[in-house]
Amino acid sequence: MALYVDITKKLGNFTLNVKIATGSKSTALFGVSGSGKSITLKCIAGILKPDSGRIILNDRILFDSDKKINIPPQERNIGYLPQNFALFPDMNVSENIICGLQKHNRKERKSLCNDLLNRFDLYEIAHLYPHQISGGQQQRVALTRALATEPELLLFDEPFSSLDSLLKQQLGLDLLIMLKKFDGEILFVSHDKDEVCKLCESVCVIENGTNTNVKPLDAVLDCPKTISEALLAGIDNIGKISDSNLSEFGFIVDTEKSPNAKYVAIKSDSIKTDGSDCSIVFETVIVDIIRDSNKHYIICKANDKSKHLLVFTNDLNHCINEKITLSIDSKDIYYLK
Amino acid sequence: MDLYPLFNSIRISLISTLIVFFMGIFSAYYISKAPRIIKIALDVLFTLPLVLPPTVVGFLLIKILGPNHLIGEFFLNTFGVRLTMNWWSAVFATMVVIFPLMYRTARGAFQSFDTTLSDTAMTLGLSGSYIFWKLRMPYCKQGIIAGTVLSFARALGEYGATSMIAGYTPGKTATISTTVYQLWRIGQDDLAFKWIIINIIISAVVLFFINLIETKYHHKEAQNGSLR
């Protein structure tokens, strides 16, 4: 099971230049909007034609600009789920699913469709039209329709972007259960770190049309190397390092181990407020206090010029303008390129 | 009262609408995929008959289809068929005049089509013609029906180019519009009035029908809007 992509495509001022080689069952392309994630998916599906490069799926060449190969989307055996699910509005749920059964003859389609409706718990809404069912049901139908083609690879474009967070959570679970039954590979595009962490085994970060290597998700979460990876790992404090090794947060960092580092990143929960003895200890003032539903954060500032630092604390007795000593262990500091 | 003009008008309008239905839809579809410069040039060319006076269209048609000109001469010599002054000659005139209406409404309808639907359909293995007839056309159905009805109504009312290329021969090329003109010219106002009432009734029914389609269309759009 492997997808290999090495393509370039120019669209106006934007140039996409991605190199992706996957190995695990589910891979995420993580990046902000406008980074080129969706274009990459469309190139892999065959909807857009790259300017040059190669796309290979399980030893089958789908696109090769040198050999002038460009397999049409109909024959790529790749499922594609766009953001809005793209259910066909003039067809009911069964008819939509039957569209995914083109490989089979007309007689088989009806019974295969019934099997799928049963398997994914859609029997009750089989006769309804897309505008008559809920967002979650629409997604289940779209996924069922894509799985009906028995694809080798399934492409997801921001499946939850338009949904509110409660529904998102529920759908995430539904999706996980449905995808467990799928043997193919999944490539998933997202700008939401929770989605990526929940659904994917490996991840590749894409920024301004170029990407990092595909890495196991755990490796990125344990040791982020770029700003995007730090965002993915949920690190709140990211600051620049000046030439004199002074970080934006107002403490001196030791850049001996990673001399090329341009940024430092510190998790809010690895900063200690109890004055314990660490390699970095510095004085700050509390400028604000945030009480989240069940968490408690303080926002600290070392001096007038320095950047705010978000610190997690269990101590509920802090007050604004209070002076506080922060300590950070050197192993809790991430150096980013 | 001789009802031949009514029969002839409806016959001409139906035939020209049927032909223009396909021509307009396919032009609109292929132009939407053409490079930008070609798109602009063809768009101007195809819309021109909408703003030109019908007499100009009629004049140009005579210069092409007339017995002493280009295509007209060829048909007369080869098949012995004269392209002008027959009842069906009016079909040429109405076709040219209503083509822009069909073309522009179809183009507008196609532009509203959500291309992720056709993208996804391709990945499901559906063919281009299936996508066109089963996805794109139903999606754009209301716009296209409205365009067709409007084209039919316009064809019924066509006078200028029709009178030039088919003339007025009672019982042969007479249509409602040319009959009204003829009756007024010879002072038979009461008979002209009867034809005018018939014409107004047909037009009103057609416009009522378009209105009905449009209200239904907006209703459906509102429903679909909730899921996009």
Side-chain angles (χ1 to χ4, degrees), chain A residues 150-216:
Chain A
E150 293 164 21
E152 288 168 56
L153 171 69
L154 198 55
L155 305 172
F156 272 95
D157 195 348
E158 306 261 10
F160 306 128
S161 63
S162 56
L163 306 169
D164 61 59
S165 61
L166 190 71
L167 191 55
K168 225 174 182 173
Q169 222 168 13
Q170 184 56 43
L171 285 181
L173 296 177
D174 276 1
L175 200 66
L176 270 178
I177 293 164
M178 280 180 86
L179 291 179
K180 278 262 150 60
K181 301 175 186 171
F182 172 60
D183 327 309
E185 190 180 330
I186 300 160
L187 186 64
F188 180 82
V189 147
S190 181
H191 68 272
D192 183 329
K193 66 183 172 63
D194 296 331
E195 254 172 54
V196 173
C197 295
K198 202 184 280 175
L199 296 166
C200 297
E201 291 167 11
S202 38
V203 64
C204 130
V205 176
I206 179 161
E207 255 174 312
N208 295 323
T210 54
N211 67 303
T212 61
N213 291 337
V214 178
K215 293 178 197 169

Side-chain angles (χ1 to χ4, degrees), chain A residues 42 45-47 73-74 78-80 82 84-91 96 99-100 102 130-131 138 145-146 149, chain B residues 114 116-128 130-131 134-135 138-141 220 223-224 226-228:
Chain A
K42 284 182 179 175
I47 297 158
Q74 282 92 341
I78 290 177
Y80 172 63
N84 63 0
F85 315 137
L87 290 179
F88 305 145
D90 297 288
M91 297 182 192
N96 262 286
C99 282
Q102 297 301 307
H131 69 263
Q138 286 176 22
R145 187 180 66 178
T149 64
Chain B
D114 178 4
T116 54
L117 293 180
S118 52
D119 291 347
T120 312
M122 285 195 288
T123 66
L124 293 172
L126 298 168
S127 68
Y130 185 96
I131 294 170
K134 294 290 176 74
L135 287 183
Y139 194 95
C140 307
K141 186 171 58 192
K220 193 185 168 193
Q223 275 183 333
N224 284 348
S226 65
L227 76 100
R228 288 211 182 94

Side-chain angles (χ1 to χ4, degrees), chain A residues 122-143:
Chain A
L122 297 167
Y123 218 91
E124 314 235 300
I125 57 165
H127 60 284
L128 295 177
Y129 285 83
H131 69 263
Q132 296 170 315
I133 60 179
S134 72
Q137 288 171 326
Q138 286 176 22
Q139 192 186 41
R140 281 223 306 277
V141 175
L143 183 56

Side-chain angles (χ1 to χ4, degrees), chain B:
Chain B
M1 187 174 156
D2 177 21
L3 285 178
Y4 181 81
L6 175 65
F7 162 70
N8 196 31
S9 277
I10 289 178
R11 171 168 71 174
I12 290 166
S13 305
L14 278 178
I15 294 171
S16 51
T17 306
L18 185 73
I19 299 171
V20 165
F21 175 80
F22 290 101
M23 283 172 61
I25 285 171
F26 287 115
S27 321
Y29 179 65
Y30 286 105
I31 280 178
S32 69
K33 294 181 154 189
R36 202 160 158 263
I37 304 241
I38 297 177
K39 199 184 276 182
I40 292 169
L42 286 179
D43 203 51
V44 169
L45 185 72
F46 286 173
T47 313
L48 214 50
L50 189 70
V51 288
L52 284 177
T55 47
V56 171
V57 174
F59 181 83
L60 291 173
L61 277 174
I62 285 175
K63 290 291 166 201
I64 297 168
L65 303 176
N68 305 322
H69 304 283
L70 213 70
I71 299 174
E73 196 170 25
F74 170 79
F75 269 84
L76 195 58
N77 295 340
T78 325
F79 305 108
V81 180
R82 202 182 56 184
L83 295 181
T84 55
M85 299 301 155
N86 303 303
W87 71 263
W88 44 264
S89 305
V91 172
F92 298 123
T94 48
M95 266 172 59
V96 174
V97 172
I98 67 173
F99 177 80
L101 286 174
M102 191 65 222
Y103 160 73
R104 289 199 81 86
T105 38
R107 205 192 57 171
F110 284 154
Q111 267 169 359
S112 70
F113 182 70
D114 178 4
T115 50
T116 54
L117 293 180
S118 52
D119 291 347
T120 312
M122 285 195 288
T123 66
L124 293 172
L126 298 168
S127 68
S129 60
Y130 185 96
I131 294 170
F132 184 85
W133 291 109
K134 294 290 176 74
L135 287 183
R136 201 178 285 261
M137 288 294 275
Y139 194 95
C140 307
K141 186 171 58 192
Q142 273 90 353
I144 286 169
I145 293 175
T148 312
V149 175
L150 198 63
S151 300
F152 178 78
R154 177 69 187 83
L156 266 184
E158 191 354 78
Y159 171 76
T162 303
S163 69
M164 287 170 80
I165 200 160
Y168 172 77
T169 316
K172 199 172 163 239
T173 66
T175 64
I176 298 176
S177 55
T178 52
T179 302
V180 168
Y181 177 77
Q182 187 62 21
L183 291 174
W184 167 75
R185 218 172 55 95
I186 60 174
Q188 289 204 9
D189 281 15
D190 47 341
L191 200 53
F193 262 123
K194 284 183 183 165
W195 280 112
I196 285 168
I197 288 166
I198 290 175
N199 203 334
I200 289 174
I201 290 171
I202 297 174
S203 305
V205 167
V206 166
L207 289 177
F208 176 75
F209 193 55
I210 290 178
N211 242 311
L212 208 71
I213 293 167
E214 278 177 351
T215 11
K216 217 176 136 190
Y217 182 55
H218 290 310
H219 179 62
K220 193 185 168 193
E221 227 175 29
Q223 275 183 333
N224 284 348
S226 65
L227 76 100
R228 288 211 182 94

